[in-house]
Amino acid sequence: MAMDTLPHAAGIIGAVVPRIDGSLKTTGTARYAVDHNFPNLVHAVAVQANIGKGRIRSLDASAAEKMPGVVLVMHHGKIDNVYRFYPHESDGTISEARPPFSDDKVYYWGQFVAAVVAETLEQAKAAAASIKVEYEAETPDVKTDLSDFDGERPESWKRGDPDKALASAAITLDQTYVTPVETHNPMELHGTVAVWDGENYTLYECTQGVVNHRVVMSQVLGVPRENVRIISRFIGSGFGGKLFPWPQSSIAASAARTLNRPVKISVDRRMMFSNTGHRPHTQQRIRLGATQDGKLTAIRHDFFTQTSQLDDFVEHCGEQTPFLYSCPNLVVTTGMVRRNVGAPAPMRGPGAVPGLFALESAMNELAEKLKMDPVEFRLKNDAERDEGKNLPFSSRHLKECWTTGAEKIGWKNRTPEPGSMRRNGKFTGLGLGSASWSAARIPCTASVELCPNGRVCVRCATQDIGTGTYTIFAQVIHAATGVPLDRIDVFLGDSSLPEGPTSGGSMATSAVLPAATTATNSAVTRLLHIAASLPDSPFHGMKPENLAISNGRVMQKGDQQPKVVGVSMNSGRQLSANGIPFEEVLKMANLSGITATGKTAPSFEDPKAKQYSLHSYGCHFAEVEWEPEIARLRVSRVVSVFDCGRIINKGAGTNQMLGAVVMGLGMSLFEETVHDHRTGQPINNNFADYIVPTIADLPDLDITFLDYPDYIVNEYGARGIGEIGMAGVAPAITDAVYNATGVRVRELPVRIEDLLKSTIHEA
Ligand code: MOS
C-alpha cells in the first residue's frame, strides 16, 4: 500500500502501514553494526578452542605477531582490563558472564581463546590461523539425555495435591517430550565496531537493547556509563540472541582502547553456533489426570533444561502451565543440567515454545485417551481466571481462538483415526496446539519535538529489530497531530537518547505507546498555549483548550472539518486551509522548536494492572500431507488465531506472526544443533547442515487477529506480538502427523525415520 493512500489521522492505528524505514532496508542504505567504517580502522578475528573441555597448556602466537599487518594479539593473560559484569541491583544483563580470555580453561567447543587484530581482515584471518594452541583435553559432557541429573529440582506454582490427584484419577497420561538445541539464525551476524576517543567509547552493535548494552559495557570496561555510547540503528533480527552482550563486544572495545584505533570484529555464522547463544535442550515429563468425562484433575510438569558450565540460564518451560487450563492440583519442577556448551540464551518464545510443545502434545494425547475431540476437551477445561496467581485475566479470548481456528481449518470434517483422511492420493492429518505469552508494560521515556521546518522528531533509546518499531512511533505521532508520515523523523537505536525498553519479550510496542502519546500530547498542549498567547496569532485571546491540532495545523476546535481548497494530485485527498501550520506558530514565537517528554509507567508498579493476570493467547491448526510410498511429509496448511489485544500495525503484526509460524515449522521438522560427543563441536554449524525452512517448504499460512483491546495494559489496548506466534506450532504439527501417519513424535524434530515406523500404507 502506498503511503498516500493510508487511512488518515487516528485511523492509522490498526491499519496496514508500510515500514517507514522499508526503503532504507531494501536499498541497502540502512547500515548494520559491521557496515560502519572509519579511517584507520583495524580488523579483529577470534580464535576458537577446538576442544570442548580442558585447559590451555600453551599458546604460541610468536608467528602471528610477526606476520604482516598484525598490530595486536590478545589471549589469556594478555588483554587490557576487562572486568566481570555483576548487575547493580537488577540493573543490566550479560549473556556470558565470564570475560573473554580470563583464565586458561575451556568450557565449551568454540570458546574464544585468542584474537588477532590486523590492518586488513585477510591479514587478521591468516595470523589467527597461525596461532598454535595446545590443550590438556578432557571429554566434554554434551549428552542430550538429561535424566542423569540428580541435583536440586525446585517446585513452583504448586497448588492442591497433584500426586494424590494423579493416583486417584480415572484417566491419566504420563509422557516425556524432548526438544533439541536450536540455534538463532538472524540474517545479520553478530559483530561490533568499537571506537575510542581517549575517554569515550562508541560501540556500533547489533543489540536488542542499547540501554542494557551500555550498562553492561560500562562495567566491563570500568568507566562511567556517561563514557559509553551504544549505536544500533538497524538490526537484522535477533530472536533473543541479541538481547544481551556477547564477548566479541568486550574484545573489540578493549582492543580499540589498547590500540587507540577503531576495531571491527564479526562473529561468523559458524561461530554463532557455539558463541552467541542457543535455545537449550529440554526434556519434559508431563503427567495429567482427568475424570472420565474429561475434566482435568492434575497436572505435573517436571522438566530439565540444559545450561552451560558458568551461567545459570534456565529455559522456563513451565511458565504457561499454571494458568492455561483450569485444574485444582498442579506443580511445576525445574532441573538445570550443566553441559559443555556455550551460554544458552532466550530464543523466540523462550520457555513457552518448548513448554507448550510438551503440555499441548500431552493435552492432545489425553483427549485421544478420553475419546474426546481435542477442541471440546480444551473448551471444557478453559480457565476462567488465572488459578496460578489467583487473579482475573485482564482480557482472555482463548475459547474464541479455538472455535475460530476450528471453523477456518474445517475441523468438523476431521476424523480422529490415524490414516482415515485422504485427498488427491495423499493421507492428510489435522492437529492443534494452543499458544500463550505474558504481557506487561515496561518503562519507557520518549521525547517529541515539533520542529520549525514543519517536521516532528521523536527520540527514544529503544531499537527496531526488524519488527516495525520505527513505524509504530510514526503512527502514534501522526494519529495525534495529523502530520504526514514523511514529515516524521524517528530516532532510535542510540543509548544517548531518552531511556527506552529492550526489544524483548514482545513488550516494546506496549512500552513505547504511552510514552510517545504523552510526549506528543504534551508538546501539542504547549504549542496551543503559545498560539493562544502570541499577540500576532490569529488565535490570540482564545482559550488554548478550544484549540486543536489537525493535519499538522493549529485550528479552533470544531473547525477540523476541512474547508476544502483543492485536491492533492498525488493522493486525491482534499486539501484544507483551516488554521495555520504548526511551524508558523513556532516562527511567530521565535522558537527553534518545542520539545516534550513522556514516560510509560511500568505495569508491575501500577496498582490496577497488578490486580490482573496479563497474557496473550492464541492457537494453531495444522494440516499435513503424507505420502508413505516416498516417505514424504509436507505441512500443507496452518491456520493461526491470536488474541493479542489491539494490533497497532496490521501489516507488521501479520508479518511477525508469519515469521514466527515459519520458525515453528522449522522447529517441528528441521532444526536441531547436534554436538559431537567426542569433541563437543556443533557439527552442523552452517546453513548447509542446519536446516531452516525455505519458501519451498512453506504451506498456506493464515493469520487472524481477534483484536480485542486490553486497556489494562495501555490506553491503546495493545499487548504485544511476535513470540506467541511460535508457541503451539510444533504440537499442532506433530498432532497432525499422528492423525495422518499413526506415529506420535515426542522428540523434535520429526524425522523421516520416525515416519517410516508408520503402519499406514496405501489401502
Ligand atoms: Mo525475544 S526471545 O525476548 O527476543
Side-chain angles (χ1 to χ4, degrees), residues 408-411 413-414 421-424 426-432 620-626 633-640 665 669 697-701 729 731-740:
K408 289 195 107 173
I409 196 104
W411 188 258
N413 299 322
R414 171 185 181 264
M421 298 193 296
R422 254 159 263 197
R423 186 176 62 211
N424 302 333
K426 296 170 189 169
F427 289 97
T428 62
L430 287 174
L432 87 160
H620 305 272
F621 287 81
E623 181 196 76
V624 300
E625 294 174 343
W626 167 236
L633 179 82
R634 183 179 163 77
V635 177
S636 44
R637 230 185 135 191
V638 180
V639 166
S640 311
L665 196 141
L669 302 186
D697 299 303
L698 298 189
D700 178 20
L701 301 173
V729 177
I733 290 177
T734 53
D735 192 38
V737 166
Y738 173 74
N739 189 215

Side-chain angles (χ1 to χ4, degrees), residues 173-244:
L173 181 101
D174 181 354
Q175 289 293 355
T176 296
Y177 303 89
V178 176
T179 65
V181 169
E182 281 186 273
T183 300
H184 313 72
N185 272 293
M187 182 94 76
E188 180 200 12
L189 304 172
H190 288 252
T192 302
V193 175
V195 181
W196 187 60
D197 71 0
E199 194 175 356
N200 302 298
Y201 297 85
T202 305
L203 305 180
Y204 296 83
E205 285 288 353
C206 54
T207 174
Q208 294 176 239
V210 290
V211 171
N212 178 71
H213 207 100
R214 181 171 81 146
V215 168
V216 170
M217 291 310 294
S218 70
Q219 253 199 62
V220 165
L221 298 167
V223 297
R225 284 181 195 182
E226 292 68 25
N227 293 26
V228 180
R229 181 177 175 196
I230 309 297
I231 294 179
S232 203
R233 292 204 180 96
F234 296 98
I235 297 125
S237 295
F239 307 119
K242 294 174 183 169
L243 282 168
F244 318 119

Side-chain angles (χ1 to χ4, degrees), residues 208 239-240 243 346-350 503-506 723:
Q208 294 176 239
F239 307 119
L243 282 168
M347 180 169 171
R348 205 161 221 198
S503 304
S506 299
E723 329 226 16

